[in-house]
Amino acid sequence: MSPHGDKSDAAEEALVAETEKRPISTILIVIAMQTEALPVVNKFNLTEDPDSVFPKGVPWVRYHGFYKDLHINLVWPGKDSSLGVDCVGTVSASLVTYAAIQALQPDLIINAGTAGGFKAKGAGIGDVYLACDVAYHDRRIPIPVFDLYGVGLRQACVSPNLQKELNLKVGKLSTGNSLDMSPQDEASIIANDATIKDMEGAAVAYVADLLKVPIIFVKAVTDVVDGEKPTAEEFLQNLSAVTAALEEKITQVIEFINGKCLSDL
Amino acid sequence: MSPHGDKSDAAEEALVAETEKRPISTILIVIAMQTEALPVVNKFNLTEDPDSVFPKGVPWVRYHGFYKDLHINLVWPGKDSSLGVDCVGTVSASLVTYAAIQALQPDLIINAGTAGGFKAKGAGIGDVYLACDVAYHDRRIPIPVFDLYGVGLRQACVSPNLQKELNLKVGKLSTGNSLDMSPQDEASIIANDATIKDMEGAAVAYVADLLKVPIIFVKAVTDVVDGEKPTAEEFLQNLSAVTAALEEKITQVIEFINGKCLSDL
């Protein structure tokens, strides 16, 4: 039995409706890599938090600042303390998203970053996508119902005006913890009908859904997964140039969001 | 440059040394499935928290109670709110572990649960293992150093006395988000030299390491991965009987821990 009766469901619906009609004030941008984050940090003159909102010892970094009517927070899981590389993947992304939501109570999450794209689905290097939904491709649990849990399909916040105004491509996003793609991953990505592939989206979406914060995904294509070149090589080669395209689109997204309500997106 | 100088390193070492010599008081048992958790909950008469230490809306459940000198907390990520199945896998496990550490400040974490075992490494149905270290087998990132981050090797708290006293088998644990095993998973599991395979261990270890809480892993074998039967079928068939063996060993572990310091384990 659900712990919520009809009364609290109705109250919750009323709250959601009210939230949708209030201008967006606090946004939380979740980005996995420093290279992806810094152009946005610089663009909006965001500053690193001297008194971290996160517990002592974690590598997570929050930058923040104000732009027009918005309080912009950008969080990045930081660098692994012993290895010095960005803490990519679903576990770090979910943890930093959870802790940031708890501390900052954002009105909207933007999960931004780079992704692999499938040319068979129309993606090319430098394309910036707005993901309409997101699912996992590396959680195979062949038991009824658990299989659906493993796929973990979540919807992005509906944003037809944002998409039209910014002329963004729209596609489904599939998430897994590997940069490469095994035949099993590929089969799941096809089943997910995905155009783009990343390493965090579905986990950020899971936490956003858990804590009832609307989320959009802005993902720029660094490598063509079904192309000629190996993913790691193409990813590293295009990372810097594509993050510039990503920063430009994030800037446009933020400009568009300013002064709007969730229902205007 | 590291944000911590020599002084705070020395202070931290002194704190660790002091902690190691203080009797263990608060323990946090992290278990992924209700079927695995309930025998332990019943054995120690743990009760569900009426005022959850977790945020409103999350499905995470904490049971707690006192036994001899110990405050026992058992957390379980709960059931997926729309699908009704246990929230297995690394993301849920890492989130509930993080939130529970923050709320409860445990002296020791016990990640307990079921696992697949490799008969080629000596594992059989019903065996209970103490994992000496844990790594991922489904995070392939073929870029130098990122590859090591992906493997995410973490050590368990050294516990030779516990192992000897309880006559537990010892082996390496490998974690991935799939119940089955792809050829790529298998190659990584072999590279990890793993005897047992689960879906949460490395993620719980990551959070424990991040927040500097010692951890041990108690894992009972429900299925032989390199055997004849399909994993899902064998897992479901043995789940109930093996959780009884698991509860028995966890009880022995708790009896052993009571009154002891970390350095006595």
Side-chain angles (χ1 to χ4, degrees), chain A:
Chain A
M1 208 182 84
S2 160
H4 302 294
D6 285 347
K7 197 176 166 188
S8 77
D9 279 356
E12 200 168 295
E13 273 171 33
L15 186 68
V16 169
E18 192 198 312
T19 309
E20 293 227 324
K21 285 178 195 147
R22 207 177 52 201
I24 295 162
S25 166
T26 300
I27 61 170
L28 172 64
I29 306 173
V30 179
I31 294 189
M33 296 185 77
Q34 189 175 34
T35 310
E36 298 164 342
L38 289 185
V40 181
V41 168
N42 294 332
K43 179 77 178 198
F44 290 96
N45 290 314
L46 306 181
T47 53
E48 197 174 334
D49 213 357
D51 300 306
S52 176
V53 295
F54 301 128
K56 190 176 167 288
V58 303
W60 312 335
V61 181
R62 171 197 175 217
Y63 299 95
H64 77 127
F66 294 87
Y67 177 75
K68 295 185 178 174
D69 298 335
L70 295 172
H71 181 200
I72 304 176
N73 296 276
L74 186 153
V75 295
W76 161 58
K79 303 252 182 206
D80 184 273
S81 63
S82 52
L83 297 169
V85 296
D86 300 88
C87 297
V88 297
T90 62
V91 165
S92 290
S94 65
L95 289 169
V96 77
T97 303
Y98 174 81
I101 295 174
Q102 290 297 105
L104 306 166
Q105 302 289 327
D107 300 314
L108 178 70
I109 295 173
I110 303 172
N111 176 215
T114 55
F118 293 86
K119 69 176 182 190
K121 303 282 284 183
I125 305 287
D127 285 349
V128 182
Y129 276 84
L130 202 60
C132 50
D133 68 36
V134 55
Y136 288 98
H137 58 253
D138 65 349
R139 307 202 319 174
R140 303 176 309 276
I141 315 175
I143 296 174
V145 194
F146 274 103
D147 51 359
L148 293 175
Y149 168 82
V151 172
L153 180 67
R154 294 287 183 285
Q155 308 299 325
C157 178
V158 178
S159 50
N161 301 320
L162 174 70
Q163 188 260 316
K164 207 181 294 171
E165 177 83 12
L166 271 60
N167 198 26
L168 288 160
K169 286 190 163 188
V170 175
K172 298 184 181 191
L173 171 63
S174 192
T175 297
N177 275 300
S178 294
L179 183 64
D180 68 11
M181 182 173 73
S182 72
Q184 286 74 17
D185 292 342
E186 188 175 15
S188 299
I189 288 169
I190 291 169
N192 289 344
D193 190 28
T195 301
I196 45 175
K197 162 186 181 290
D198 80 345
M199 295 171 68
E200 292 86 17
V204 179
Y206 178 75
V207 179
D209 185 33
L210 209 58
L211 299 174
K212 302 289 169 237
V213 185
I215 182 166
I216 61 170
F217 302 87
V218 183
K219 300 277 169 169
V221 175
T222 43
D223 59 280
V224 172
V225 186
D226 51 348
E228 307 291 303
K229 290 188 189 167
T231 289
E233 188 186 308
E234 201 173 27
F235 168 75
L236 292 173
Q237 193 179 316
N238 295 322
L239 182 59
S240 177
V242 171
T243 51
L246 180 66
E247 175 268 301
E248 198 181 308
K249 280 295 174 193
I250 294 173
T251 301
Q252 292 174 20
V253 168
I254 290 172
E255 283 287 1
F256 181 86
I257 286 172
N258 181 62
K260 293 204 175 56
C261 312
L262 286 171
S263 55
D264 299 331
L265 297 189

